[in-house]
Structure formats: C-alpha cells, structure tokens
Amino acid sequence: MSAPDRRSRFPASQARKGGRSGDAPLAIVERPATLVQVTARKGRQAELAAAIGKALALELPEAGRVATAADKTALWLQPGSWLIEAPAGQRRVLPASLTQALNGIAAVVDQSHGRCIIEISGAEARAVLARLCRLDLHERAFAVGHSAATLVGHVSCLIHRADGETTCFRLLVGSTFAEWLLDEITAAAASYGWSFNSAGEAAA
Amino acid sequence: MHLIPCPYCGQRPQDEFHYRGDATVKRPAPDAGEQAFYDYVYTRENPRGWHDEWWHHYAGCRQWIKVRRNTLTHAVAASAGPADALPEATP
Ligand SMILES: [Zn+2]
C-alpha cells in the first residue's frame, strides 16, 4: 500500500522569480496529483473503457486527446494505455480501487511518485514553448483538450492544453527530469519574466 | 527537418524516433538451418529507393511502426502499426 506523498519534485528550488519583469510573466506551478497508468490486457480494451466509465464516469479519449469529468482527467498515452489524473488527496484510494475494478482487464500502475505535472500559463506560454518543443501548438492545431507525447527541452513529456483564463499548458514529465525541465523553461522564459511555485508552496 | 508520419501521433520530427532496421525480414522456420538463421540475423539488402523499415517512436507513443521510406530522396510513402501491413507497392 502506497503512503501519501506530498513531497515536491523540486527539493532544490524555492518559490522564486526570474528573467525580465513584465505585466504578465509566465507562471510556472508544480501541480500535485494522483497519477495512475492503466494499460488494457490483450483484447480487453473495450472492457477497460466500460469499466473506467462505470468506476469513474470517465470516457477514455482517443489518441492525442484528453477527457475530463468532475475531478478526474484521462490522458491518452499510447495504444491501449491511458493515464488517470486525480487530486493529490486520492493517492491512498485511487490506485487500490482501480486495481480492484480492473482486475484481469488492465495493468494498473501508481505513477504518482514517478511523474509530475508542471503547469505553465500566461500570455507568452506558447512563445516560450516554441523555444523548447517542435510541435505546432497554435490554437488551430492544438486546442484545449489536445495532448501529445513528445520532446520538450530534449525530455520526453506528455503535453496538453488546459482550459483557463490565460493560455495554459501542462507538462507531464518523469520526476527525475523535473528539475532539469524547470531550468530549461526558466531559461527559455528569461526574456519575458517568470515565477515558480512548487507543490508544497502552492498548497500552503 | 525530416518528418515521419506516426499512425498514432501524426507527423512528428525524426528526432522522436530511433531507426530499428529492415521490416521485411521474416524469421525462418525452426528447422531452416544455420545459413537461413545467419541471413535472418545478419544479411541485409542495401536498397536504393523504396524500403520498408522499422522505426521506434520512443519519445511519443513508444510503438514500433513500419515506415516505407525512399532511401534516395527520404520521401515517406506510407506508415502502419506493427501488426498492420504497408500497402502492396509504391510506384
Ligand atoms: Zn507515435
């Protein structure tokens, strides 16, 4: 049974600001979350979709898309495999309840410790990402609800466009790459100005 | 930049992929003999023109995919999932 883990993936980084200060600097925030990967066993994908629908009232999205219902989000990872994101407080219950609900249908792996979410938002979020990522992230090509597994700053990431008042992207990255990716993002944002808050500080 | 059309992710830059070799080789029958297995493991054509290849989309969907690439022009005619067949022939 996994213990609740609220540690930040950025032990060396305090809340801080940097770069040129502007009216709307890039806001970089670590979003604490419960992350569970579900992978359909051979030939069981339809059953997995039905079971997730029943257990979480969530529809598994097609490739390159994200689906949200209430406090849960499902992100397509690869054929037959999705990542379920839930609030950090569900770390104790969600992996266990999914393991039970999907017994024999899918492999269930708690990734809450293995991955982390960096959210970047602000008017210049797209311009900053253009310096780190080769994909076309313009509204017409990558709208709210779109996602892509790709390289950002040479690191494998799952990037998706989130809903918000300002342009907002979330990057799912391996926890051990998180500090490196933060360095890349702050360097790319230096000409606009940026602020950073880790998970612990955001919760306080 | 060379773009490769992943059947799952769409057009992606080549640096998201690793080349994984000739996709046309077939494993011989268990009793085919030493020479057949030597060829299966080591002997490769070096075609000038269209070639069916394995590419691993390691930084994307992590699938091995089949890509029909022209070794002379780098044009890509088709791609398919690992269990799917590429079209019969490319002119
Ligand atoms: Zn792919």
Side-chain angles (χ1 to χ4, degrees), chain B:
Chain B
M1 182 178 31
H2 192 47
L3 291 173
I4 294 175
C6 173
Y8 306 106
C9 306
Q11 293 277 4
R12 292 301 183 88
Q14 182 217 317
D15 57 3
E16 291 187 8
F17 297 84
H18 289 309
Y19 176 70
R20 303 305 296 185
D22 190 336
T24 65
V25 290
K26 293 269 189 299
R27 186 183 177 87
D31 58 356
E34 200 173 320
Q35 186 58 44
F37 271 93
Y38 181 89
D39 288 345
Y40 168 62
V41 175
Y42 297 111
T43 313
R44 293 291 179 269
E45 298 292 328
N46 186 17
R48 179 178 183 274
W50 293 108
H51 188 217
D52 293 353
E53 302 170 329
W54 287 112
W55 288 79
H56 180 208
H57 195 188
Y58 80 93
C61 61
R62 316 228 157 139
Q63 303 297 294
W64 283 49
I65 61 167
K66 291 176 189 163
V67 176
R68 180 165 295 158
R69 182 181 67 97
N70 191 306
T71 59
L72 198 64
T73 64
H74 283 311
V76 173
S79 65
D84 303 325
L86 286 165
E88 275 299 302
T90 296

Side-chain angles (χ1 to χ4, degrees), chain A residues 18-68:
Chain A
R20 194 170 138 181
S21 57
D23 290 336
L26 191 78
I28 310 165
V29 179
E30 178 189 10
R31 281 177 59 93
T34 300
L35 299 167
V36 184
Q37 183 169 351
V38 297
T39 305
R41 300 203 183 277
K42 198 171 185 180
R44 312 294 290 270
Q45 197 166 313
E47 286 169 79
L48 170 61
I52 290 286
K54 197 176 155 206
L56 306 177
L58 198 56
E59 200 173 319
L60 290 179
E62 58 176 322
R65 293 291 184 277
V66 168
T68 299

Side-chain angles (χ1 to χ4, degrees), chain A residues 10-190:
Chain A
F10 303 90
S13 296
Q14 307 293 314
R16 56 200 167 100
K17 291 178 195 295
R20 194 170 138 181
S21 57
D23 290 336
L26 191 78
I28 310 165
V29 179
E30 178 189 10
R31 281 177 59 93
T34 300
L35 299 167
V36 184
Q37 183 169 351
V38 297
T39 305
R41 300 203 183 277
K42 198 171 185 180
R44 312 294 290 270
Q45 197 166 313
E47 286 169 79
L48 170 61
I52 290 286
K54 197 176 155 206
L56 306 177
L58 198 56
E59 200 173 319
L60 290 179
E62 58 176 322
R65 293 291 184 277
V66 168
T68 299
D71 60 356
K72 309 266 192 319
T73 298
L75 303 105
W76 181 87
L77 288 178
Q78 61 192 81
S81 191
W82 288 264
L83 196 76
I84 309 294
E85 181 196 331
Q90 297 180 22
R91 173 83 197 279
R92 250 182 213 283
V93 291
L94 187 66
S97 69
L98 282 178
T99 300
Q100 199 163 36
L102 304 177
N103 184 28
I105 301 172
V108 178
V109 182
D110 182 5
Q111 283 285 355
S112 308
H113 60 291
R115 303 217 189 172
C116 87
I117 302 173
I118 302 174
E119 179 177 287
I120 63 178
S121 59
E124 305 295 348
R126 200 175 277 115
V128 170
L129 279 170
R131 294 170 174 173
L132 299 168
C133 174
R134 293 193 200 260
L135 295 192
D136 181 1
L137 299 178
H138 190 279
E139 177 69 34
R140 70 174 172 255
F142 200 79
V144 171
H146 286 220
S147 75
T150 188
L151 293 172
V152 179
H154 307 290
V155 173
S156 282
C157 275
L158 187 71
I159 180 170
H160 75 104
R161 173 80 197 284
D163 213 354
E165 281 172 32
T166 57
T167 309
C168 176
F169 293 90
R170 286 184 195 147
L171 299 171
L172 248 133
V173 64
S175 294
T176 52
F177 288 106
E179 195 97 41
W180 154 272
L181 187 61
L182 178 65
D183 281 351
E184 292 286 297
I185 295 168
T186 55

